[in-house]
Amino acid sequence: MALHVPKAPGFASMLKDGARAFSGLEEAVYRNIDACQEFARSVRSAYGPNGMNKMIINHIEKQFVTSDAGTIMRELDVEHPAAKLMVEASHMQEAEAGDGTNFVVIFAGALLELAAELLRLGVTSSDITEGYEKALTKALDILPTLVCHEVKDYRSLIPVRNAIRATVMSKQFGNEDFLADLIAKACISILPEKTTFNVDNIRVCKILGSGLHMSEVVPGMVFKRFVEGEVCSASKAKIALFSCPVDIIQTETKGTVLIKSAEELKTFSQGEENLLEQQIKAIVDTGVTVIVSGGKFGDMALHYLNKYGIMAVRLNSKFDLRRLSKAVNGTVLPRFTPPSSEEIGYCDNVYVHELGDTSVTIFKSEGTDSRIATIVIRGSTDNYMDDIERVIDDGVNTFKGLTRDGRFLAGGGAVEIALAQQLAEYADTLPGLDQYAVRKFASALEFFPKALAENSGVNATDVVNQLYLAHKQGKRTEGFDIESEQPATTDVTAKNVFDLYTTKYWGLKYAVGASCTILKVDEIIMAKRAGGPKPRAGGRGSDDES
């Protein structure tokens, strides 16, 4: 008979064997802060135009080389629960603003790092979180007064390009003018008159070869596919879209045909062929010149399509088929039947083009009412083109943000120093312990110009001192000069370095929300994970059992 070992009384007696519980400042709070600090430090070196790339190899052995914090966090399997909260905050920021993911993590990490100093001095975590929340409320009140630029005409190329430029520069320093121009042209070309701008309407097609400056915007859609038949182009094309295969229609139930002679076999196959030709002829009679299908094209169907001069395009993705139907204003039909005039799509030019050694099929809309635009990216490696795609995604999201709220703040660390300066003055007016937390909040904002300076190889302390001096003299748009080799400041508005107001607004909210949640956790309970192989169906534990 096995000896029963009683569990220790208290909380541990309620949990499974092997479960762990940490509580108190030393065990829980500092442990959480250390994990978040490490995580924030790892993405901080990727901040700004001179930020360094990270090489990530994810769980399926796919390699990424990027400085985009959103991608880095999406591909990392973060295990620590407190660090996961920061990742969740950055995901919320990406969903809300489309950019500023690194801002959220760096700021949350800075707030926690400075909170640890206050905790060691004896300030309670509730006082710190209260102070941080007060500082956030004050910062969000100050933020509208720091607006230095506003885009009112969303359809004008130059103001939009200047607004997007800083977002692109933060990841592709040196190519920002070309890429900002490309993104602005694509976004303006499909901006609807009444409804809101849809990010999904800007497509990206990556084609290996040549250089980045050979990239272009195509009004319409581009697919890395060759046509199925012999016809390779159609102008003023009427398009029929099908989600089913273009082939002899299969019967819904299985049937058996008894054929007794060669003549019967001949007439049976001829009957099928005649039926298929009649179907295709009926579609041709509606004026259709291009057939797009989500399924395969049968050999016999291709023969008749070539005979009647119909262009055949196959798309493997049902999502591409839906987007194309939107671009050409057609309806996707589930059965191979002649479309009505309302269901037929229209496109000015459909043709096959060769870029490098890749054949592409282009659906091009020459008019001003194009609903979808495609940016064709050229580049020497897949990793490089993937990084350009992420930049385009950030730029397009910035454009979407400015169509909602066209206000911009000064970039290059200028708005952070202006906020820090006013919050430090606000802290002096507070009587309680929360004034220390507000002062630390102001100090945490200094981490951004410091990160820009450190990543550029410049003394961070000198840069922050010069920024404070410039702001004391009333130069509110003075930020760190990224192009200088020495600690220097410049008027960032003259260089078109702007941060979108909504990105900064939500970034501050999510970072403070995440850091306050982490500080309020005073106990971590880690349940034991169930291990070992699961019993097989039928109750047999292993293959050896008889």
Side-chain angles (χ1 to χ4, degrees):
M1 187 175 169
L3 181 68
H4 172 68
V5 179
K7 285 187 179 181
F11 189 67
S13 63
M14 303 177 205
L15 303 174
K16 279 185 180 178
D17 286 334
R20 291 178 294 163
F22 306 99
S23 63
L25 275 180
E26 292 298 331
E27 278 193 338
V29 182
Y30 289 139
R31 191 185 282 256
N32 283 346
I33 289 172
D34 287 344
C36 294
Q37 259 181 265
E38 282 299 315
F39 183 61
R41 207 172 287 136
S42 66
V43 292
R44 188 172 152 188
S45 58
Y47 184 70
N50 291 327
M52 285 171 280
N53 286 344
K54 307 286 176 213
M55 186 180 284
I56 303 126
I57 298 162
N58 69 3
H59 63 288
I60 56 168
E61 300 294 315
K62 189 179 177 186
Q63 182 181 305
F64 296 82
V65 179
T66 181
S67 63
D68 180 43
T71 306
I72 293 167
M73 283 178 275
R74 209 167 27 250
E75 298 305 327
L76 285 177
D77 278 336
V78 178
E79 283 293 327
H80 197 282
K84 265 187 182 175
L85 277 171
M86 286 169 73
V87 174
E88 287 301 317
S90 77
H91 288 337
M92 286 168 72
Q93 170 74 3
E94 189 160 26
E96 187 67 50
D99 195 15
T101 48
N102 211 346
F103 178 90
V104 171
V105 175
I106 293 170
F107 192 46
L111 289 172
L112 290 169
E113 190 175 322
L114 296 172
E117 294 175 15
L118 291 176
L119 286 168
R120 289 189 180 98
L121 290 171
V123 182
T124 62
S125 55
S126 58
D127 281 330
I128 297 169
T129 53
E130 194 180 320
Y132 280 172
E133 280 158 6
K134 270 189 185 176
L136 173 66
T137 307
K138 184 68 177 173
L140 296 181
D141 288 342
I142 297 166
L143 212 56
T145 66
L146 301 176
V147 171
C148 64
H149 180 68
E150 190 167 358
V151 176
K152 290 177 181 172
D153 184 6
Y154 312 137
R155 296 176 194 279
S156 182
L157 180 65
I158 292 167
V160 169
R161 183 182 64 197
N162 291 343
I164 291 172
R165 190 174 172 273
T167 305
V168 177
M169 187 199 249
S170 68
K171 296 187 179 65
Q172 280 295 320
F173 190 36
N175 297 320
E176 64 272 9
D177 290 320
F178 174 74
L179 284 169
D181 199 49
L182 216 60
I183 295 163
K185 279 179 186 169
C187 293
I188 291 166
S189 70
I190 64 150
L191 187 61
E193 288 290 340
K194 293 174 184 173
T195 54
T196 55
F197 176 80
N198 185 0
V199 173
D200 196 49
N201 289 350
I202 301 290
R203 308 306 306 157
V204 170
C205 181
K206 297 173 285 188
I207 295 170
L208 200 63
S210 194
L212 175 65
H213 289 269
M214 293 302 289
S215 303
E216 59 180 329
V217 177
V218 176
M221 294 199 75
V222 179
F223 301 103
K224 283 202 281 186
R225 293 194 66 79
F226 197 72
V227 290
E228 297 292 307
E230 292 172 3
V231 184
C232 294
S233 67
S235 60
K236 295 186 178 174
K238 288 187 174 180
I239 302 166
L241 301 118
F242 299 101
S243 57
C244 60
V246 178
D247 203 355
I248 295 164
I249 296 173
Q250 303 291 322
T251 55
E252 288 182 12
T253 57
K254 286 186 178 180
T256 306
V257 179
L258 186 63
I259 294 170
K260 294 178 181 176
S261 65
E263 193 61 37
E264 283 182 4
L265 178 62
K266 203 173 173 183
T267 52
F268 175 76
S269 58
Q270 200 170 0
E272 273 194 323
E273 289 167 19
N274 291 341
L275 183 66
L276 183 60
E277 185 174 9
Q278 283 167 19
Q279 286 176 319
I280 290 171
K281 182 74 170 67
I283 291 169
V284 171
D285 290 341
T286 61
V288 168
T289 51
V290 178
I291 289 179
V292 180
S293 173
K296 69 181 181 69
F297 284 83
D299 293 337
M300 189 55 64
L302 280 176
H303 165 71
Y304 289 120
L305 290 172
N306 292 336
K307 179 181 172 181
Y308 290 107
I310 302 291
M311 189 174 175
V313 181
R314 182 183 177 187
L315 299 178
N316 289 335
S317 166
K318 65 179 179 183
F319 300 108
D320 280 344
L321 195 62
R322 284 178 199 167
R323 288 188 191 105
L324 181 62
S325 73
K326 190 177 178 182
V328 300
N329 199 21
T331 306
V332 180
L333 302 173
R335 294 190 66 198
F336 190 53
T337 52
S340 65
S341 57
E342 292 82 17
E343 291 166 339
I344 295 173
Y346 175 81
C347 191
D348 292 311
N349 274 309
V350 184
Y351 59 96
V352 173
H353 187 54
E354 199 165 288
L355 291 167
D357 60 351
T358 308
S359 294
V360 293
T361 303
I362 300 173
F363 289 78
K364 194 171 187 178
S365 303
E366 304 288 354
T368 54
D369 59 343
S370 176
R371 294 161 177 242
I372 288 183
T374 303
I375 298 175
V376 179
I377 302 172
R378 306 300 307 280
S380 52
T381 65
D382 287 325
N383 260 322
Y384 180 64
M385 289 192 294
D386 288 345
D387 220 24
I388 299 295
E389 186 181 7
R390 292 179 201 112
V391 172
I392 289 169
D393 185 53
D394 284 349
V396 171
N397 276 297
T398 302
F399 180 81
K400 184 186 178 181
L402 75 88
T403 59
R404 291 174 174 176
D405 186 346
R407 291 178 292 174
F408 282 84
L409 304 160
V415 71
E416 284 87 356
I417 292 295
L419 272 176
Q421 192 178 13
Q422 292 191 46
L423 285 171
E425 291 166 8
Y426 169 65
D428 294 335
T429 65
L430 297 172
L433 283 172
D434 48 10
Q435 66 173 290
Y436 297 108
V438 175
R439 208 167 272 117
K440 289 295 183 190
F441 189 100
S443 301
L445 287 161
E446 294 172 10
F447 276 59
F448 294 100
K450 278 181 181 175
L452 289 171
E454 284 166 6
N455 294 344
S456 304
V458 176
N459 188 309
T461 310
D462 287 352
V463 168
V464 172
N465 290 342
Q466 286 189 30
L467 284 171
Y468 270 121
L469 182 65
H471 281 255
K472 284 252 168 49
Q473 292 166 354
K475 299 175 185 174
R476 292 201 312 173
T477 57
E478 203 77 5
F480 170 57
D481 186 0
I482 207 87
E483 291 166 353
S484 171
E485 292 180 10
Q486 300 298 323
T489 64
T490 183
D491 182 2
V492 288
T493 53
K495 296 195 174 184
N496 295 321
V497 179
F498 300 113
D499 287 340
L500 190 64
Y501 173 83
T502 50
T503 303
K504 204 67 78 177
Y505 176 88
W506 288 109
L508 287 167
K509 284 191 92 165
Y510 289 135
V512 173
S515 53
C516 287
T517 305
I518 291 162
L519 284 170
K520 285 172 183 172
V521 172
D522 71 332
E523 198 161 333
I524 310 168
I525 302 154
M526 299 173 77
K528 185 191 175 189
R529 290 190 177 181
K534 292 181 180 178
R536 293 174 56 176
R540 292 179 62 180
S542 70
D543 294 335
D544 300 330
E545 287 182 37
S546 56

